[in-house]
Amino acid sequence: MDERSGMLDIFTITGEGLRVGVDSAEIERVASDVSSLGGDRSPDRAYRLEELLPGGRANGGAAGARVSALVLKSEDGRNGLVTFDGVMDVMSIPIPRIMPVPDFVRRAQKPLFVWGFYAAAGGLIALVTFHYLVMEGAA
Amino acid sequence: MGGKDRIEKLLKAAGSEKRTTAATTGITKEFLIVSVGEALLGLHIEYLREVFDLPDRGDVIPLPFVPPYLVGVINVRGEIVPVLALSDILGLGETPAGSLKMVIIDQKFKAAFPVREIIDLKAIDVKELRSVKDPTRKTEDHMLTQEFSYEGKTVGVIDVLKLYSSRFLA
């Protein structure tokens, strides 16, 4: 988060009708092809983005299809990896225009995943955090 | 705009202009009567904020890692509002998948729930309200604590304060 300018830099991932944004501060590295990370990488938790989102459809990764990945920044030694098929972009969004989810929704999510929305051209972007998912795992 | 005028305008916008007034002599309360599944429910207008048709059921954005009664959120003029399956919470069976009418209530926070149909806006004499006890449900999960009769049918009154303090919304 760039507090001086009131902007938040996010990676947006689009695919299968889903559009999510991840705070760039959570991301250590982006790989356009997960195989480039090498076989010796063994994250504590690895997720397929489409499988995390209701309504999303994991296509199973067709043989030979290139799968991109976000390598999440490690906290307390836990590593996380998120793979996805969709297109990725980087955006700076004004923080005051973020629509936070109500406290009730934050509390109901175990773990907290979607924390807000941003209305961009082409529809809403769900702002998500992988922090609690990596630290606590899915309920 | 007064409360009644506001609600009537909302009903008109939702395609339901029906409004009946009971011949009463005592204190009355006004209820929005809606159908959820096969049940008729009454909602005191004090807690009613909006009634509208959802243009597209895809406008409800589902969320991961939430209990089944929290079906998602909707964007209401820049405000994210949770959508609840009231039928799940009240034990009324499944919410009709095709339902696109939404009712928004507000007590501690705004919450929306889909209904099958907006039936009426009706003033009820408080003497017509009957207490209901449901021995099949835990006391804390029993949120239809009163009922009244409407055109030969029974309408369960949603105890909104109890709903908001329940394990579902607390």
Side-chain angles (χ1 to χ4, degrees):
Chain A
M1 184 188 301
D2 186 345
E3 293 180 354
R4 287 169 300 176
S5 61
M7 303 295 281
L8 181 70
D9 293 328
I10 59 171
F11 286 86
T12 64
I13 306 165
T14 306
E16 299 288 348
L18 305 168
R19 201 169 179 204
V20 301
V22 187
D23 185 346
S24 61
E26 287 195 22
I27 297 167
E28 179 182 290
R29 185 179 163 194
V30 180
S32 59
D33 186 348
V34 71
S35 62
S36 68
L37 294 173
D40 58 345
R41 184 168 190 95
S42 54
D44 290 299
R45 291 204 163 100
Y47 301 97
R48 222 171 134 61
L49 181 69
E50 289 87 348
E51 289 175 334
L52 291 175
L53 299 167
R57 292 173 293 160
N59 64 18
R66 198 164 71 171
V67 176
S68 304
L70 298 179
V71 179
L72 305 172
K73 280 187 180 168
S74 173
E75 289 191 27
D76 297 340
R78 284 184 181 274
N79 297 310
L81 184 74
V82 180
T83 58
F84 57 97
D85 294 330
V87 178
M88 200 184 67
D89 200 357
V90 181
M91 289 177 67
S92 285
I93 61 174
I95 292 168
R97 287 186 53 198
I98 292 173
M99 297 177 281
V101 298
D103 284 344
F104 160 67
V105 176
R106 290 177 73 97
R107 290 195 306 271
Q109 291 183 86
K110 298 186 186 322
L112 173 63
F113 188 60
V114 179
W115 59 270
F117 290 90
Y118 177 72
L124 286 180
I125 299 173
L127 302 173
V128 305
T129 175
F130 292 102
H131 175 78
Y132 301 98
L133 193 60
V134 171
M135 297 300 290
E136 302 168 20
Chain B
M1 184 183 295
K4 290 179 185 176
D5 294 340
R6 180 176 61 83
I7 298 301
E8 285 175 1
K9 189 176 178 184
L10 294 172
L11 286 173
K12 191 175 180 180
S16 175
E17 298 177 61
K18 191 174 179 183
R19 182 174 190 274
T20 57
T21 306
T24 59
T25 54
I27 301 169
T28 62
K29 287 185 175 180
E30 286 203 276
F31 293 93
L32 181 72
I33 302 173
V34 300
S35 62
V36 175
E38 295 302 314
L40 293 184
L41 299 176
L43 179 67
H44 193 289
I45 64 166
E46 177 184 352
Y47 305 106
L48 184 64
R49 290 299 171 268
E50 295 202 33
V51 180
F52 59 91
D53 284 322
L54 203 63
D56 183 345
R57 57 177 62 87
D59 290 339
V60 177
I61 305 164
L63 297 172
F65 313 127
V66 293
Y69 59 83
L70 177 50
V71 294
V73 294
I74 50 175
N75 177 15
V76 182
R77 296 182 297 279
E79 184 178 4
I80 300 299
V81 176
V83 179
L84 305 173
L86 204 57
S87 51
D88 281 2
I89 293 173
L90 300 176
L92 302 174
E94 293 185 8
T95 301
S99 177
L100 290 177
K101 289 191 186 301
M102 284 280 173
V103 172
I104 293 184
I105 58 174
D106 191 359
Q107 206 271 323
K108 294 174 183 170
F109 55 85
K110 286 182 183 172
F113 56 87
V115 300
R116 194 177 68 182
E117 196 176 355
I118 308 291
I119 308 289
D120 199 354
L121 180 65
K122 187 171 174 62
I124 298 291
D125 191 313
V126 292
K127 292 176 183 172
E128 295 179 36
L129 295 171
R130 304 182 294 269
S131 293
V132 178
K133 295 193 186 314
D134 183 354
T136 64
R137 292 176 72 84
K138 294 178 185 173
T139 305
E140 61 269 25
D141 287 350
H142 179 46
M143 283 167 266
L144 300 177
T145 53
Q146 289 185 307
E147 65 181 24
F148 59 85
S149 296
Y150 172 80
E151 295 183 355
K153 296 176 182 173
T154 299
V155 179
V157 176
I158 302 169
D159 188 333
V160 173
L161 293 177
K162 201 165 180 182
L163 174 66
Y164 273 89
S165 61
S166 73
R167 63 188 169 92
F168 299 101
L169 272 70

